[in-house]
Amino acid sequence: MSDKVYNALFLCTGNSARSILGEALMNKMGEGRFAAYSAGSQPKGDVHPMAIEVLGDFGYPTEGLHSKSWDEFTKPGAPQFDFIFTVCDNAAGESCPVFPGKPITAHWGVEDPAAVEGEEQREAFLDALSYLKRRIELFLMLPIKTIDEMSMRSKLAEIGREDGASAKAQVKDGNAQ
């Protein structure tokens, strides 16, 4: 009997940094139990070079990562998502498309490392990677097969308020959508 593979989507506005980090982290850390994707409401078209650099430095696969619109995942044949995580405050505030199924959503906002310039940019990307990695670790420890939907939503919101949460993510009821 094969175990279910859960589909997770990380959303951000530009899909060039945070959502890309989330996708790469979940795909490796989920160890085959998760298939992660990322998308943006207004994709930049390119993955930020520093995102690729820091992922590569820590051994996360970067092949196939690309900036894409969330519209790509509303078309026939797109994966049906179990979980959707918004990782930027702008995406959390936007009207998201309707995704098939009944995905559980959460806002895991992290400050935009791509907005940092100069020598501090690498540190900002490392921080974002660290914050998202910790949230994914906590998520992967949840009893996904047995937890009820209300408890899952509550736990995901709690995880979103972990260290490094953006201002909106720190709001007690800061669930996405």
Side-chain angles (χ1 to χ4, degrees), residues 7-11 70 80-88 91-109 139 142 148-161 169 172-177:
N7 290 324
L9 178 62
F10 289 86
L11 295 177
W70 60 17
Q80 186 167 323
F81 294 105
D82 300 290
F83 301 95
I84 296 178
F85 304 104
T86 53
V87 293
C88 73
E94 292 180 294
S95 294
C96 292
V98 175
F99 293 100
K102 294 180 77 176
I104 296 174
T105 63
H107 180 55
W108 287 0
F139 172 68
L142 294 174
D148 65 87
E149 185 176 334
M150 184 181 290
S151 296
M152 177 63 82
R153 288 184 188 281
S154 176
K155 290 289 187 188
L156 293 179
E158 187 178 315
I159 289 169
R161 293 187 296 271
K172 194 159 193 90
D173 295 320
N175 288 336
Q177 296 182 6

Side-chain angles (χ1 to χ4, degrees), residues 16-33:
S16 68
R18 293 165 286 184
S19 52
I20 294 286
L21 296 176
E23 176 185 359
L25 287 164
M26 181 72 84
N27 276 327
K28 183 169 181 178
M29 295 169 64
E31 298 176 328
R33 297 181 326 167

Side-chain angles (χ1 to χ4, degrees), residues 68-156:
K68 59 208 153 297
S69 172
W70 60 17
D71 292 337
E72 187 173 312
F73 296 106
T74 62
K75 297 176 181 173
Q80 186 167 323
F81 294 105
D82 300 290
F83 301 95
I84 296 178
F85 304 104
T86 53
V87 293
C88 73
D89 292 345
N90 288 344
E94 292 180 294
S95 294
C96 292
V98 175
F99 293 100
K102 294 180 77 176
I104 296 174
T105 63
H107 180 55
W108 287 0
V110 174
E111 296 299 326
D112 186 4
V116 177
E117 296 184 11
E119 295 177 16
E120 293 82 28
Q121 187 177 67
R122 180 174 172 78
E123 189 66 32
F125 270 89
L126 292 172
D127 287 347
L129 184 76
S130 175
Y131 297 141
L132 288 167
K133 182 176 185 281
R134 176 66 179 146
R135 290 173 189 169
I136 292 169
E137 286 170 344
L138 292 169
F139 172 68
L140 292 174
M141 288 191 276
L142 294 174
I144 294 171
K145 290 181 183 179
T146 59
I147 193 169
D148 65 87
E149 185 176 334
M150 184 181 290
S151 296
M152 177 63 82
R153 288 184 188 281
S154 176
K155 290 289 187 188
L156 293 179

Side-chain angles (χ1 to χ4, degrees), residues 12-16 39-46 66-70:
C12 200
T13 304
N15 189 222
S16 68
S41 59
Q42 300 169 30
K44 299 218 183 234
D46 293 308
H66 64 285
S67 180
K68 59 208 153 297
S69 172
W70 60 17

